[in-house]
Amino acid sequence: MKKFTRLLLMSVAILFTTVVLAQTTIKGKVIDAEINAPLPGANIVEKGTTNGVSSDFDGNFILTTQTSSGQIVISYVGYGTVTITFSSSKDLGKISLASDNSLDEIVVTGTGVIDLAEDRKTPIAVSTIKANQIQEKGGNSDLPEILKSTPSVQSVQKGGFGEGQMFLRGFDQTNTAFLLNGQPINGVEDGKMYWSNWSGVLDVAKAVQVQRGLGSSKLAISSVGGTVNIVTKTIDRKEGGFVQQMIANDNYIKTTASYSTGLMSNGFAFTALLGHWQGEGYADHTDGQGQTYFLSFGYKSNEKNIFNFMVTGAPQWHAASGYNTLKTYLEKGRKYNFAYTGVDSPNTISEGYYPAGRNVYHKPVVNLSWDLTINDNSSLSTVAYASLGRGGFGSTLASKGVPTYVRGSNNNHNWYGLVTNYNNQLNENLSFNAGADVRLYNGIHFRSVNEFLSVESVNATSAYNGGAYTVTKTYGGLNPWGLLFNPNNDHAQRLHTYYDYEEKINYVGAFGQLEYTQDQFSAFFQGSASTQSHFRTEYGEAKVKGKSEDSDKINNTGFNVKAGAAYNLNDNNVVFANAGYYSRQPYHSDLFINDRSSNQLNPFVEGNQKITGFEAGYKFLGDIISANLNVYHTTWDNKVDYSSKDTDKDGLADQFTKTSPLKQVHMGAELEVFTRPFDGFTFNGFVSVGDWQYKGNITTRTTDDAGAVISEGATSYIDGVKVGEAAQFTAGISADYEILPRLKIGANWNQYDNLYGAAAFGSNEFKTENNRGSIKLPSYDTVDTGISYKMLLGENDQNSLQIRLNVNNVFDEVYIENSRDNIHVDADDVAWKGVNVNNGVWFGYGRTWNLSMRYNF
């Protein structure tokens, strides 16, 4: 018995030793190849077994295998699978997974100037939308709609193609910085964004990252609300492409095709994308059409040098959607859009209605990037770019009720710039980078005849042109391609009766960052300084024949500083805090009293705007559930507000008002929760609560179009008034489930509350200290859903056919998304859901849908 016991113990020991010796420990980090971001919840399985683990929130994993050699399979829904061979315990380092629709890993060029949050150890409040999510849920929407399921983001569609707006933490688009591969794309003159000029951006985007608040950008940009980074395709490693056909409500149709050679053995790569869309628009008489093109030429000469040349554009035209009173919409339906004339035009580009006007624009963007790896510790990235915008807004003029011609309000520009960044890992704990941002901008603004209807010429008068003269040419007309290649450069063929002027805005900035990391602690400091010059040339109001009038040259400087620190309490818990201060130069549109016909400076501009931001956050990093909690406080001071009125209803503004100084305080909290209860199922949610108010009171100055003062010194009592146009409470839930292999369904629910009308400071509502503030609009919620199926085709299933159906606002919710007035309800007033029907409003879209079929090869 004793011998048997010894033999049994020896056998168990040998078996145990054999098993232990056969085991191997494999570790690594799974990342998204497109933006170098961690992929939490990726599946890591030992091939041929059920032995596996999932990556944590930072993408890390440790797998103890059952054998000493073999293969592990790494997979994630929506990404390509990677198989890796192992023969001993080892650290695999970073393992890149690429989105299915990109076929393989992407090399992102210009990485040094694309300020993604993952490039810095110290966290910020951030949300990232990846390529597969954009492809599935984007449909025929503009970018703001894709971002509405992230905290503190509000999307307002406003009726026409490309007319949407995005609000971030209560700040509009002029106070959110938008970057395309590190290149600033907000309007230089006023910071505005026109999504109609970027209608094809989602076709080429590999990822979109929303950085709320201070963000990680090192540029001296106007990111009061935050920063949105759009990262496009560059060099695909493998050959392939796709063809996609989409149809949607209101006779929308879109065709897109793309092909990439992949990175060839000679180091070259080429990618092209072409698309065409057209549709009638959700609102009445808001038809439009356009194209998208994207060309990328890459060259990897060696391991240290990568070059990429890119050109992209989205020429388009679309009929605009005006606003109406709530009463009008209730009587005629929420899709109502008043058409000024129903005359048919002989020009096929503009055939049909001219409702509130027709936007026509073409803005090609060209950039050349160079990534240089100097050595193991340092690198240099440089992007040079150019943008040539041509187009404007056409509206019909009539004589005695008969439409005569289409008057174009042209807004052309020539924009050149360069962004460069040098990065150096000084030692194990300290990294340093520095760079420069240069922008040279020439804006060209004039009115012209863009199409003749019932006349063949138009008379005008101008001292610059020697008195009375006749306009007989239309140049590019209403064709976005024609406006690009045949612009009106002849002052004698412009309508000086209205306006004709140019401006030059030159900007030079320098920036730098230091970051220290050690064990569980990290800290950073950023700083930037810039100088900006403004110069304006007047033609329309010039007094001498052939001689323009020039303004004084204005120079102003600005800067920003940011600092922050983070501490990892353990592997699952991180806390951080950031603070920043911006001294932001006024926009060009702030500097001049009447930017259409006067070089006169605005006396209300008193130095730079001052922005102070504080934020703190907590991150919980779990395997199945993770969460982010952020709190923020932003003060925006010394702001100037500008407005205009058309008092005689002739289509031309004739009163201009400046309000100053204006102060806003925005504070709030945001919570995001991400869960992956089991394989193939994700369930996420967010809540954001804000308190956005005006602080102090303001004074106004109103002038006519000749600069004569109409009123001055009036006080608007806005202290404590709620900031309007964006909901101060938002919440959402999203779920996606792969119910069968490659068959996925999903849905999003979004709730909006504490939404207020825009504060019209000059209205009677704010003339007394007992004003009632901004009107509160009804809360609303929407539900969107989608289903997709991917069929594998071809040898080794290397091709696929994907079908996707999206239905937005499934329950056809009727809601007001914005109000430009603040008319309260008094006795005998008619109201709808507590809103006076005399307010001018925009209704949100009802139920819409889109269906796409995409063949990947």
Side-chain angles (χ1 to χ4, degrees), residues 56-72:
D56 63 19
F57 192 78
D58 286 329
N60 297 313
F61 70 88
I62 298 177
L63 173 65
T64 301
T65 65
Q66 297 176 354
T67 59
S68 60
S69 63
Q71 292 181 317
I72 60 170

Side-chain angles (χ1 to χ4, degrees), residues 315-369:
Q316 61 80 41
W317 62 263
H318 72 272
S321 176
Y323 83 100
N324 291 281
T325 64
L326 175 55
K327 179 180 179 180
T328 300
Y329 283 122
L330 294 175
E331 293 173 351
K332 301 188 177 183
R334 57 180 158 171
K335 300 181 70 172
Y336 175 72
N337 186 33
F338 179 70
Y340 291 149
T341 175
V343 63
D344 285 331
S345 163
N347 185 331
T348 57
I349 291 294
S350 57
E351 185 174 353
Y353 287 95
Y354 287 94
R358 191 176 288 271
N359 178 288
V360 186
Y361 217 83
H362 191 176
K363 184 176 182 174
V365 175
V366 178
N367 73 39
L368 175 64
S369 65

Side-chain angles (χ1 to χ4, degrees), residues 675-702:
T675 70
R676 189 180 176 87
F678 51 86
D679 189 36
F681 179 67
T682 60
F683 186 78
N684 305 326
F686 75 90
V687 176
S688 56
V689 181
D691 182 14
W692 312 328
Q693 297 184 16
Y694 295 100
K695 294 296 182 180
N697 297 313
I698 55 175
T699 57
T700 62
R701 174 190 176 103
T702 300

Side-chain angles (χ1 to χ4, degrees), residues 498-513:
Y498 297 98
Y499 60 84
D500 182 3
Y501 68 97
E502 296 186 22
E503 72 256 326
K504 291 184 178 179
I505 306 171
N506 296 330
Y507 173 99
V508 178
F511 54 84
Q513 174 182 284

Side-chain angles (χ1 to χ4, degrees), residues 825-830:
V825 178
D826 292 317
D828 300 325
D829 286 340
V830 178

Side-chain angles (χ1 to χ4, degrees), residues 13 69 443 503 528 647 770-771 833:
S69 63
E503 72 256 326
S528 67
T647 60
N770 298 320
N771 73 77
K833 293 187 176 181

Side-chain angles (χ1 to χ4, degrees), residues 8 66 95 141 183 227 317 388 462 468 500 648 678 702 704 727 812:
L8 180 61
Q66 297 176 354
I95 303 160
S141 301
Q183 168 191 335
T227 305
W317 62 263
L388 304 177
S462 166
D500 182 3
D648 54 11
F678 51 86
T702 300
D704 62 19
D812 203 26

